[in-house]
């Protein structure tokens, strides 16, 4: 599921240049893939919450938590942009959702790269 998540993550950027709702559909599929990837890692999370993570796994946990925060920012800002621009419903219009969405995307890319380096090295 990690490779599928990575593929969809890269494809979401390409989706910006595709017609219609491609970016939103790819983003929704990415959320599902990331959710399934995390569900398959339940052992890691049970160890994390039980405090049994030490050494190198502590670094892995820090990156995963940082990635979770960045991805949550990406999803929340993306949902707000969807509601504001696609559905035409004003949701906190004074919040700079596009800036937050781009920041979430950039930070998520950095976290994905570090996560891949840690997992595949």
């Amino acid at each position: 599921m990690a490779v599928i998540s990575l593929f969809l993550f890269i494809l979401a950027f390409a989706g910006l240049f595709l017609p219609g709702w491609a970016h939103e559909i790819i983003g929704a599929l990415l959320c599902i893939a990331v959710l399934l990837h995390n569900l398959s890692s339940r052992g890691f999370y049970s160890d994390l919450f039980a405090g049994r993570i030490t050494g190198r796994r502590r670094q892995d946990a820090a990156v995963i938590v940082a990635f979770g925060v960045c991805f949550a920012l990406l999803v929340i800002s993306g949902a707000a942009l969807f509601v504001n621009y696609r559905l035409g419903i004003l949701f906190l219009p004074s919040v700079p959702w596009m800036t937050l969405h781009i920041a979430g995307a950039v930070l998520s890319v950095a976290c994905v790269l570090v996560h891949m380096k840690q997992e595949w090295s």
Side-chain angles (χ1 to χ4, degrees), residues 5-49:
S5 297
L6 178 61
F7 173 74
L8 288 169
F9 191 71
I10 293 168
L11 193 59
F13 286 104
L16 290 170
F17 305 104
L18 296 175
W21 289 38
H23 180 71
E24 288 80 5
I25 293 168
I26 295 166
L29 292 174
L30 173 61
C31 287
I32 292 168
V34 168
L35 179 67
L36 292 174
H37 175 68
N38 284 298
L39 285 174
S40 68
S41 302
R42 283 187 304 259
F44 174 81
Y45 290 108
S46 65
D47 287 349
L48 176 66
F49 293 124

Side-chain angles (χ1 to χ4, degrees), residues 70-85 91 95-105:
C70 295
F71 194 74
L73 174 63
L74 186 63
V75 170
I76 291 167
S77 61
L81 288 168
F82 178 80
V83 167
N84 285 337
Y85 294 112
F91 176 72
V95 175
W97 292 117
M98 185 60 77
T99 302
L100 292 172
H101 195 60
I102 292 169

Side-chain angles (χ1 to χ4, degrees), residues 44-45 48-49 53-71 107 110-112 114-115 118-119:
F44 174 81
Y45 290 108
L48 176 66
F49 293 124
I53 302 239
T54 59
R56 183 169 183 259
R57 292 206 52 181
R58 183 172 291 173
Q59 294 171 348
D60 294 344
V63 170
I64 290 168
V65 168
F67 180 48
V69 169
C70 295
F71 194 74
L107 293 170
C111 289
V112 163
V114 174
H115 182 54
Q118 287 179 331
E119 293 298 316

Side-chain angles (χ1 to χ4, degrees), residues 33 103 106:
V106 169

